[in-house]
Amino acid sequence: MKKFIKYFLVITLVFSVISTSAVAGTSSFSDTKGHWAESSIERMAGKGHIGGYPNGSFKPEGQITRAEFTAILTRIVGIDEVENPFNDVNDAKWANGIIGGAEQVGIIDKSEYGSYFQPNTPITRLEMTKMIARAFILEDEYKEKFDTYDSYDQGDLTFKDAKNVTNEDAPYVAFVTDLGILAGYPDKTFKPLNQASRSEAVVMLLRYIDHDINSGSTGGGGDINPNSDDNVNENPAYDPDYANVEQWINTTRISPNYITYINKKAQKIENGTASESEIYKARFHVEELLWNYYNGAIPVSDYEEETLDRIASRYGKGHWDDVSEYKKAFYSTYAGDILEAMLLSYSFDKNENLEWVVVRPAGMRHAFKISVDNPMGSVVLNRGWAGVNDAKFDAVYAEIATPQLLNQIIELGVPISVDTNSNNGDKFDETGFPQNHTDREIRAREIKRANSNNVVKRLYGGDFAIKIGGIGNLTNADIVEGSSIIPEEFLEIKPYIKGQAKYIVTDVY
């Protein structure tokens, strides 16, 4: 994500009273040592966005006003100052241009305040959440994501006190929660109308700065993260003796909005209003196996190590060890599918259909068990079997999942992704395939190629789709000899003989 951040010392405006004797970033404040947000406060001070009081304190549990929060956020985003449209321009004259700029771009919604912004009023947690959401959606990529929350109401929120959030505000809360910016309290409440503390404001703003929509990060819910810094010595993903282990045991790595989605589908099934697709997808379940579940070496293979470095590059880092533990934690959540994972174990039923898998996010020690009721069969997808150029038009791209294939994946330490029914068996766009299938059985198709008799066999439908390589942007260099992400055992071209597919419906030429 590209943000236009202006770095300069804030010595007169932010947090009301800041003196030159407490220059941001020089040392710890007198009252933040051991505070859960200590590292975040120091990082923000080091960036020049905040400072302290003349006596060297920061007062992390003190209040922050609407004007003060707006000042920090607009400077981070890089908003120009314009005339203040509110009538109370004399209440915080220093912030008039800041407030005007925020209102002009939509970070402040004037309709919510009327003629008076009341800039010296302490900001609430809900106001803070909405302003950060609106800052995100100034960028098209975030706006596109935010639009998917349009139908959310308070019933879609996972907080126990969601009733205190209006249906109009629910999309903002869900959006910021899923991005990992907003977490909550240990009792699973949001407390939207509570006045925000200075430390809470700092943590949310720092998460805003750090977030990258291309990282795949989503919020995991639970407590406010006490370790949102870059200290690689405190690693809840690796260390069973981590001092704040209780925080992490109580923090789910399953996306709270995914849980809400599943619960809503279950309610529709109970009410008899669910679609066939919703009934089908309700067969899938995920169970979180906590972060001390796996005790083996990490990484287990050179392929996992390569995967970790590619993940690190998305965060602008050269190596996985340079990525903050905070980002590692949110990268490794489950939200309906999982990328960049290592297969640990599996089970087939008596009909030889895959019924569950246990997968570990690359670089992490926690795992997820993903299961399906009444399994009908799963597929393994591998571009390496089809190769590149002309070879891929006369080759196999997918195979039915078997114990032999999955054993090979485990033994070689090859990363995978796991999707749950990513392609329905009744969705085909090739001439000759009926469009009205109501079942989800596994089907194969042979795709016509222009001026060629060559075909590629691909399987659709079924339950799990397990993709070799795991990452979403495999290149040609990744699927040929010498690949650093896929072992040579998965790079042998598999020619396909027309009409020999076990699940073939029809040939297309």
Side-chain angles (χ1 to χ4, degrees):
M1 181 179 86
K2 184 176 182 181
K3 294 189 178 77
F4 300 95
I5 302 176
K6 298 180 179 179
Y7 292 98
F8 51 83
L9 291 180
V10 180
I11 57 174
T12 58
L13 303 181
V14 180
F15 289 153
S16 298
V17 281
I18 301 170
S19 79
T20 55
S21 63
V23 177
T26 58
S27 63
S28 297
F29 299 102
S30 62
D31 57 351
T32 58
K33 187 67 175 177
H35 190 276
W36 66 267
E38 177 186 5
S39 297
S40 297
I41 293 168
E42 291 195 356
R43 282 188 62 199
M44 283 289 279
K47 291 178 181 293
H49 294 314
I50 61 172
Y53 288 83
N55 64 359
S57 67
F58 180 75
K59 299 181 181 179
E61 297 308 311
Q63 298 170 345
I64 174 172
T65 68
R66 290 172 178 168
E68 290 167 343
F69 183 83
T70 303
I72 303 172
L73 180 58
T74 56
R75 280 175 168 79
I76 291 171
V77 178
I79 303 300
D80 293 331
E81 297 186 12
V82 300
E83 184 178 356
N84 187 344
F86 294 97
N87 291 343
D88 49 358
V89 294
N90 292 321
D91 289 358
K93 291 182 179 180
W94 64 268
N96 278 336
I98 294 167
I99 294 168
E103 191 277 334
Q104 184 180 66
V105 300
I107 290 177
I108 294 173
D109 185 346
K110 191 173 186 295
S111 68
E112 296 178 347
Y113 296 95
S115 299
Y116 298 90
F117 182 57
Q118 301 180 45
N120 294 323
T121 297
I123 196 168
T124 67
R125 288 169 54 81
L126 178 61
E127 287 178 302
M128 208 163 55
T129 298
K130 292 167 65 176
M131 289 176 70
I132 287 178
R134 289 167 177 157
F136 269 120
I137 63 179
L138 293 177
E139 300 181 44
D140 291 342
E141 53 190 350
Y142 283 97
K143 178 63 167 64
E144 183 178 348
K145 181 177 178 66
F146 176 74
D147 288 344
T148 65
Y149 293 84
D150 184 62
S151 63
Y152 275 63
D153 57 33
Q154 62 181 205
D156 294 307
L157 303 178
T158 58
F159 298 109
K160 289 182 178 179
D161 56 349
K163 65 181 180 181
N164 295 329
V165 178
T166 66
N167 289 333
E168 291 75 18
D169 290 337
Y172 295 101
V173 176
F175 173 64
V176 175
T177 301
D178 245 12
L179 290 180
I181 311 302
L182 172 66
Y185 290 100
D187 62 356
K188 309 303 180 186
T189 61
F190 171 32
K191 300 179 182 177
L193 304 182
N194 279 22
Q195 294 173 354
S197 70
R198 290 147 64 88
S199 55
E200 289 172 339
V202 164
V203 169
M204 289 187 68
L205 288 165
L206 185 58
R207 290 175 180 172
Y208 168 76
I209 292 172
D210 286 346
H211 197 275
D212 184 348
I213 197 168
N214 296 314
S215 71
S217 300
T218 56
D223 305 340
I224 292 176
N225 189 346
N227 187 38
S228 58
D229 58 25
D230 290 319
N231 188 344
V232 298
N233 294 319
E234 291 186 316
N235 189 340
Y238 291 80
D239 185 3
D241 297 320
Y242 179 63
N244 292 300
V245 64
E246 291 301 323
Q247 291 276 20
W248 287 92
I249 286 179
N250 292 325
T251 300
T252 180
R253 298 293 178 88
I254 302 173
S255 166
N257 281 319
Y258 172 73
I259 296 173
T260 299
Y261 169 81
I262 293 299
N263 290 339
K264 289 183 70 174
K265 301 311 175 191
Q267 187 63 50
K268 292 180 70 174
I269 292 173
E270 184 177 340
N271 296 338
T273 59
S275 67
E276 179 199 355
S277 177
E278 289 171 329
I279 294 173
Y280 179 79
K281 292 182 179 179
R283 298 161 56 240
F284 295 97
H285 312 282
V286 60
E287 176 185 355
E288 182 179 19
L289 307 176
L290 290 175
W291 52 261
N292 57 355
Y293 170 84
Y294 179 75
N295 295 315
I298 295 178
V300 301
S301 67
D302 292 341
Y303 307 109
E304 181 178 4
E305 185 170 12
E306 172 68 17
T307 297
L308 296 178
D309 286 346
R310 294 198 187 190
I311 296 171
S313 69
R314 296 204 300 261
Y315 293 105
K317 304 293 185 180
H319 193 272
W320 173 251
D321 291 341
D322 299 326
V323 178
S324 72
E325 302 312 319
Y326 174 71
K327 288 182 177 179
K328 289 178 182 177
F330 281 106
Y331 132 75
S332 59
T333 57
Y334 182 87
D337 58 13
I338 187 165
L339 300 175
E340 294 130 350
M342 309 305 293
L343 180 63
L344 299 182
S345 58
Y346 61 84
S347 175
F348 285 78
D349 68 6
K350 62 181 181 181
N351 296 317
E352 299 183 349
N353 293 323
L354 185 61
E355 57 184 353
W356 57 258
V357 294
V358 172
V359 292
R360 171 179 63 81
M364 310 302 282
R365 291 202 177 278
H366 68 280
F368 301 101
K369 179 180 180 181
I370 313 168
S371 58
V372 60
D373 298 333
N374 304 313
M376 62 179 61
S378 296
V379 298
V380 175
L381 306 176
N382 178 25
R383 282 184 59 192
W385 288 331
V388 297
N389 301 323
D390 291 342
K392 65 184 178 182
F393 299 135
D394 194 22
V396 169
Y397 180 79
E399 290 283 358
I400 303 297
T402 64
Q404 293 76 18
L405 262 179
L406 299 195
N407 279 339
Q408 193 175 26
I409 290 172
I410 293 173
E411 291 170 1
L412 294 173
V414 57
I416 61 170
S417 64
V418 180
D419 199 357
T420 53
N421 189 35
S422 59
N423 296 293
N424 293 338
D426 62 343
K427 291 186 177 179
F428 294 95
D429 56 10
E430 296 298 330
T431 303
F433 279 79
Q435 298 295 311
N436 59 353
H437 291 306
T438 57
D439 57 84
R440 295 297 200 283
E441 68 184 63
I442 298 175
R443 301 182 185 276
R445 66 175 177 180
E446 297 178 349
I447 302 175
K448 180 179 179 181
R449 299 292 176 177
N451 303 317
S452 172
N453 290 325
N454 296 330
V455 296
V456 57
K457 191 189 89 173
R458 187 159 184 178
L459 303 179
Y460 286 84
D463 303 318
F464 300 113
I466 299 171
K467 183 178 180 181
I468 301 296
I471 61 176
N473 57 338
L474 288 174
T475 66
N476 282 351
D478 293 323
I479 58 173
V480 296
E481 185 178 356
S483 170
S484 59
I485 203 76
I486 298 178
E488 61 181 11
E489 288 84 350
F490 282 99
L491 295 176
E492 182 179 353
I493 303 298
K494 289 193 174 185
Y496 172 55
I497 301 174
K498 181 178 63 177
Q500 299 301 307
K502 177 180 178 182
Y503 290 90
I504 200 70
V505 177
T506 183
D507 292 341
V508 179
Y509 298 105

